Short mmCIF file of all heavy atoms in Angstrom, two decimals:
data_model
loop_
_atom_site.label_atom_id
_atom_site.label_comp_id
_atom_site.label_asym_id
_atom_site.label_seq_id
_atom_site.Cartn_x
_atom_site.Cartn_y
_atom_site.Cartn_z
N PHE A 194 -3.60 5.43 -6.66
CA PHE A 194 -2.44 6.28 -6.98
C PHE A 194 -2.73 6.89 -8.34
O PHE A 194 -3.71 6.51 -8.99
CB PHE A 194 -1.15 5.43 -7.03
CG PHE A 194 -1.30 4.17 -7.84
CD1 PHE A 194 -1.16 4.18 -9.22
CD2 PHE A 194 -1.64 2.97 -7.22
CE1 PHE A 194 -1.34 3.02 -9.97
CE2 PHE A 194 -1.83 1.80 -7.96
CZ PHE A 194 -1.68 1.84 -9.34
N HIS A 208 7.91 5.05 -13.79
CA HIS A 208 6.84 5.89 -13.25
C HIS A 208 6.49 6.97 -14.25
O HIS A 208 6.67 8.17 -14.01
CB HIS A 208 7.27 6.52 -11.91
CG HIS A 208 7.22 5.56 -10.78
ND1 HIS A 208 8.05 5.62 -9.69
CD2 HIS A 208 6.43 4.49 -10.57
CE1 HIS A 208 7.77 4.62 -8.86
NE2 HIS A 208 6.79 3.93 -9.37
N ASP A 225 -0.72 1.22 -15.60
CA ASP A 225 -0.62 0.84 -14.19
C ASP A 225 -1.76 1.54 -13.47
O ASP A 225 -1.82 2.78 -13.44
CB ASP A 225 0.75 1.28 -13.64
CG ASP A 225 1.05 0.70 -12.26
OD1 ASP A 225 0.13 0.19 -11.60
OD2 ASP A 225 2.22 0.80 -11.83
N SER A 235 -5.66 -1.56 -4.47
CA SER A 235 -5.24 -2.58 -5.43
C SER A 235 -4.24 -1.95 -6.38
O SER A 235 -4.13 -0.72 -6.46
CB SER A 235 -6.44 -3.14 -6.19
OG SER A 235 -7.18 -2.12 -6.80
N ASP A 236 -3.51 -2.78 -7.08
CA ASP A 236 -2.39 -2.32 -7.91
C ASP A 236 -2.23 -3.34 -9.04
O ASP A 236 -2.02 -4.52 -8.76
CB ASP A 236 -1.14 -2.25 -7.02
CG ASP A 236 0.00 -1.46 -7.63
OD1 ASP A 236 -0.13 -1.04 -8.79
OD2 ASP A 236 1.02 -1.27 -6.94
N LEU A 237 -2.33 -2.87 -10.28
CA LEU A 237 -2.38 -3.79 -11.42
C LEU A 237 -1.73 -3.13 -12.63
O LEU A 237 -1.98 -1.95 -12.91
CB LEU A 237 -3.87 -4.07 -11.73
CG LEU A 237 -4.24 -4.77 -13.03
CD1 LEU A 237 -3.74 -6.20 -13.05
CD2 LEU A 237 -5.76 -4.75 -13.22
N THR A 238 -0.89 -3.88 -13.34
CA THR A 238 -0.26 -3.34 -14.54
C THR A 238 -0.33 -4.34 -15.69
O THR A 238 -0.08 -5.54 -15.48
CB THR A 238 1.24 -3.03 -14.29
OG1 THR A 238 1.37 -2.18 -13.17
CG2 THR A 238 1.86 -2.33 -15.50
N LEU A 298 10.87 -6.31 -7.12
CA LEU A 298 9.83 -7.17 -7.70
C LEU A 298 8.42 -6.83 -7.20
O LEU A 298 7.45 -6.95 -7.94
CB LEU A 298 10.14 -8.64 -7.40
CG LEU A 298 9.10 -9.63 -7.94
CD1 LEU A 298 9.11 -9.63 -9.47
CD2 LEU A 298 9.36 -11.03 -7.41
N GLY A 299 8.31 -6.43 -5.95
CA GLY A 299 6.95 -6.16 -5.46
C GLY A 299 6.93 -5.65 -4.03
O GLY A 299 7.97 -5.47 -3.41
N HIS A 300 5.72 -5.42 -3.55
CA HIS A 300 5.52 -4.82 -2.23
C HIS A 300 4.18 -5.27 -1.68
O HIS A 300 3.29 -5.64 -2.45
CB HIS A 300 5.55 -3.29 -2.35
CG HIS A 300 4.63 -2.75 -3.42
ND1 HIS A 300 3.31 -2.47 -3.18
CD2 HIS A 300 4.84 -2.50 -4.74
CE1 HIS A 300 2.74 -2.03 -4.30
NE2 HIS A 300 3.64 -2.05 -5.27
N GLY A 301 4.05 -5.21 -0.37
CA GLY A 301 2.77 -5.48 0.25
C GLY A 301 1.77 -4.38 -0.09
O GLY A 301 2.15 -3.25 -0.39
N VAL A 302 0.49 -4.75 -0.06
CA VAL A 302 -0.59 -3.79 -0.33
C VAL A 302 -1.68 -4.01 0.70
O VAL A 302 -1.98 -5.15 1.07
CB VAL A 302 -1.19 -4.01 -1.75
CG1 VAL A 302 -2.38 -3.09 -2.00
CG2 VAL A 302 -0.13 -3.81 -2.83
N VAL A 306 -0.81 1.60 -0.23
CA VAL A 306 -0.50 0.93 -1.50
C VAL A 306 0.88 0.28 -1.43
O VAL A 306 1.14 -0.71 -2.11
CB VAL A 306 -0.48 1.90 -2.70
CG1 VAL A 306 -0.61 1.14 -4.00
CG2 VAL A 306 -1.53 2.95 -2.59
N HIS A 307 1.76 0.88 -0.65
CA HIS A 307 3.08 0.30 -0.47
C HIS A 307 3.29 0.04 1.01
O HIS A 307 3.33 0.98 1.80
CB HIS A 307 4.18 1.24 -0.98
CG HIS A 307 4.13 1.45 -2.46
ND1 HIS A 307 3.51 2.53 -3.03
CD2 HIS A 307 4.60 0.70 -3.48
CE1 HIS A 307 3.61 2.43 -4.36
NE2 HIS A 307 4.27 1.33 -4.66
N THR A 327 2.31 -7.42 -4.48
CA THR A 327 2.33 -7.33 -5.93
C THR A 327 3.51 -8.16 -6.43
O THR A 327 4.51 -8.31 -5.73
CB THR A 327 2.53 -5.88 -6.42
OG1 THR A 327 3.83 -5.43 -6.01
CG2 THR A 327 1.47 -4.95 -5.84
N VAL A 328 3.35 -8.70 -7.62
CA VAL A 328 4.48 -9.34 -8.30
C VAL A 328 4.57 -8.63 -9.64
O VAL A 328 3.68 -8.77 -10.49
CB VAL A 328 4.25 -10.85 -8.48
CG1 VAL A 328 5.39 -11.47 -9.29
CG2 VAL A 328 4.14 -11.53 -7.12
N GLU A 329 5.60 -7.78 -9.80
CA GLU A 329 5.63 -6.88 -10.94
C GLU A 329 7.01 -6.72 -11.57
O GLU A 329 7.63 -5.67 -11.46
CB GLU A 329 5.07 -5.51 -10.54
CG GLU A 329 5.63 -4.91 -9.25
CD GLU A 329 5.05 -3.52 -8.97
OE1 GLU A 329 4.97 -2.70 -9.89
OE2 GLU A 329 4.68 -3.28 -7.81
N ARG A 341 6.03 -3.92 -18.28
CA ARG A 341 5.85 -4.36 -16.89
C ARG A 341 4.53 -5.10 -16.81
O ARG A 341 3.55 -4.72 -17.47
CB ARG A 341 5.85 -3.16 -15.92
CG ARG A 341 5.58 -3.57 -14.47
CD ARG A 341 5.88 -2.49 -13.43
NE ARG A 341 4.96 -1.37 -13.45
CZ ARG A 341 5.22 -0.18 -13.98
NH1 ARG A 341 6.40 0.05 -14.53
NH2 ARG A 341 4.33 0.78 -13.97
N GLU A 343 2.02 -6.72 -13.77
CA GLU A 343 1.86 -6.72 -12.31
C GLU A 343 0.51 -7.30 -11.91
O GLU A 343 -0.52 -6.92 -12.47
CB GLU A 343 1.94 -5.28 -11.78
CG GLU A 343 1.55 -5.12 -10.31
CD GLU A 343 1.59 -3.68 -9.83
OE1 GLU A 343 1.19 -2.78 -10.59
OE2 GLU A 343 2.01 -3.46 -8.68
N ASP A 344 0.55 -8.21 -10.95
CA ASP A 344 -0.69 -8.71 -10.36
C ASP A 344 -0.64 -8.59 -8.86
O ASP A 344 0.44 -8.51 -8.26
CB ASP A 344 -0.91 -10.18 -10.76
CG ASP A 344 -1.46 -10.29 -12.17
OD1 ASP A 344 -2.64 -9.94 -12.35
OD2 ASP A 344 -0.72 -10.69 -13.09
MN1 LIG B 1 3.00 -1.76 -7.57
#
Side-chain angles (χ1 to χ4, degrees):
F194 47 84
H208 284 150
D225 191 346
S235 55
D236 195 355
L237 168 68
T238 306
L298 179 66
H300 51 87
V302 176
V306 199
H307 294 96
T327 65
V328 176
E329 48 178 316
R341 177 167 70 257
E343 170 182 39
D344 281 289

